[in-house]
Amino acid sequence: MKTEVINIIEAELMQTFEELFKWFYIDKELLNYAPNNKGWSIRKILEHISLTNQYLLMLISKGTRKALERSKKEDYAERVVDYDLDWQRMKIIGEHNSFVWNRPGHMEPRGKMRLAAIQQELESQLQQCRILLRKMPHGEGALYKIMMSVNNLGKIDVYHHIYFLVQHAKRHLTQIEQVETEFNLGV
């Protein structure tokens, strides 16, 4: 297993969450500004990211457990020697409006969650991801695949799922920047 795959995932994870955390310290008027297209405010986007991560982390945690169980029963070292993540296919997830997706209702922000609670949840989710990556340092995450219907990704392994979580947040960082631009232009 090329540790560089895990290192890249973790580096992008850290960078993406650092960018997310900056948005908790902006002016309240910008934070709560609802764009003209009836889209979400930055506050609601941050809530949506935390809600989606919550769901994804349930799948990722389960996948990690299953992958680690398999790693104890299989000799997988040769299987993961040439492992590489499908970077290009996954990066599309991080591009805002790159595909159509109807999110489930439980990922819809309600706007009632306290801002501090959203931030705390995201901080906890970041740590969970880092812990799960550390539990699978030798390619174990490649041993278990979970279905991902978003953009017809199909069955993807645990490393891909963690990278999906990162890309999903990046997608919404672009959306946040668009809200900020509209706010600053006074449209």
Side-chain angles (χ1 to χ4, degrees):
M1 171 75 185
K2 296 177 183 174
T3 56
E4 61 207 47
V5 169
I6 295 170
N7 292 341
I8 290 169
I9 293 170
E10 185 164 19
E12 283 196 43
L13 176 74
M14 296 295 292
Q15 178 187 11
T16 301
F17 274 75
E18 280 178 32
E19 288 179 42
L20 283 175
F21 294 140
K22 291 176 188 174
W23 293 101
F24 286 94
Y25 301 100
I26 61 172
D27 177 78
K28 298 291 184 222
E29 191 176 347
L30 171 57
L31 186 71
N32 295 305
Y33 172 75
N36 289 330
N37 66 0
K38 299 189 185 194
W40 294 333
S41 66
I42 293 171
R43 178 190 188 104
K44 282 189 174 182
I45 295 168
L46 293 168
E47 181 182 349
H48 165 72
I49 294 168
S50 75
L51 292 170
T52 303
N53 288 355
Q54 195 173 34
Y55 172 74
L56 290 171
L57 277 163
M58 285 190 286
L59 295 176
I60 293 166
S61 295
K62 176 185 174 187
T64 301
R65 277 193 311 279
K66 299 266 188 185
L68 290 172
E69 287 170 13
R70 284 190 181 169
S71 74
K72 293 174 186 168
K73 298 174 187 170
E74 294 179 28
D75 182 14
Y76 64 93
E78 256 186 61
R79 201 167 122 189
V80 298
V81 166
D82 294 325
Y83 178 86
D84 199 15
L85 201 114
D86 191 349
W87 302 106
Q88 288 311 111
R89 200 164 136 229
M90 297 304 294
K91 286 198 182 275
I92 291 168
I93 304 304
E95 298 170 13
H96 189 48
N97 291 327
S98 59
F99 60 90
V100 176
W101 173 249
N102 295 320
R103 85 197 130 274
H106 63 275
M107 295 180 192
E108 186 85 24
R110 306 285 180 242
K112 297 183 193 257
M113 199 171 172
R114 286 185 12 254
L115 191 61
I118 298 169
Q119 184 176 4
Q120 186 176 15
E121 183 65 28
L122 286 170
E123 287 170 354
S124 172
Q125 291 166 347
L126 169 61
Q127 294 314 313
Q128 277 183 269
C129 286
R130 295 185 75 203
I131 289 166
L132 293 171
L133 281 172
R134 281 190 214 114
K135 285 183 175 185
M136 304 176 293
H138 305 293
E140 299 91 339
L143 300 177
Y144 187 77
K145 293 185 176 188
I146 310 159
M147 187 58 144
M148 175 57 77
S149 57
V150 175
N151 203 30
N152 299 311
L153 288 175
K155 285 194 164 200
I156 58 175
D157 66 37
V158 182
Y159 298 122
H160 280 81
H161 261 85
I162 295 171
Y163 198 63
F164 178 95
L165 182 147
V166 173
Q167 292 303 312
H168 174 260
K170 283 184 177 188
R171 175 184 198 85
H172 288 294
L173 279 167
T174 303
Q175 183 184 9
I176 287 171
E177 290 165 359
Q178 291 171 349
V179 172
E180 179 187 39
T181 299
E182 181 180 312
F183 176 83
N184 288 335
L185 290 174
V187 176

